[in-house]
Amino acid sequence: MSDQELHLLEDKVDSLLRYCEQLVSERDDFRRQTQEQASQLKELADKLAQFEDERENVRLRVSDLLGKIDQVSTFSPGAEDTATARQTDMPLGA
């Protein structure tokens, strides 16, 4: 093997090593990005679960309040007139 061929082979090996180092660096960057995104995804999933729980609690509270309003309107005098007026959007006694 000539000196020139040996030098050419060394250059190719060096080039290949630099390319491998670049690939390793890119792989490490992608791993870091993937870990960050996985962490963000977990945070968002936790927030979504929290919002869903809060929404269910609000729904239950609103339902409870509507039930109490219905109870009050059924016990108050003239409740039927008020209910009818609400349904037709007409003033009472019209």
Side-chain angles (χ1 to χ4, degrees):
M1 199 179 239
S2 72
D3 220 22
Q4 186 178 9
E5 288 174 329
L6 189 57
H7 188 54
L8 185 63
L9 181 61
E10 286 176 342
D11 288 344
K12 287 185 179 189
V13 168
D14 287 341
S15 176
L16 182 60
L17 286 174
R18 282 192 302 275
Y19 182 70
C20 288
E21 288 172 356
Q22 179 185 356
L23 290 176
V24 167
S25 176
E26 288 177 8
R27 181 199 63 195
D28 292 342
D29 288 344
F30 287 136
R31 281 184 178 169
R32 181 185 47 76
Q33 289 175 0
T34 301
Q35 289 172 346
E36 288 173 3
Q37 289 175 345
S39 175
Q40 290 173 350
L41 183 60
K42 184 180 179 332
E43 286 178 29
L44 291 173
D46 291 344
K47 283 182 181 180
L48 177 62
Q50 179 184 356
F51 288 146
E52 288 173 344
D53 288 344
E54 289 174 3
R55 180 179 178 203
E56 180 63 17
N57 288 337
V58 168
R59 188 191 68 74
L60 291 172
R61 290 173 63 193
V62 167
S63 178
D64 185 48
L65 289 172
L66 290 174
K68 288 178 181 179
I69 289 171
D70 286 342
Q71 286 177 351
V72 168
S73 65
T74 56
F75 293 127
S76 64
E80 291 178 15
D81 294 337
T82 305
T84 304
R86 272 196 219 126
Q87 290 174 358
T88 61
D89 289 337
M90 295 183 66
L92 292 176

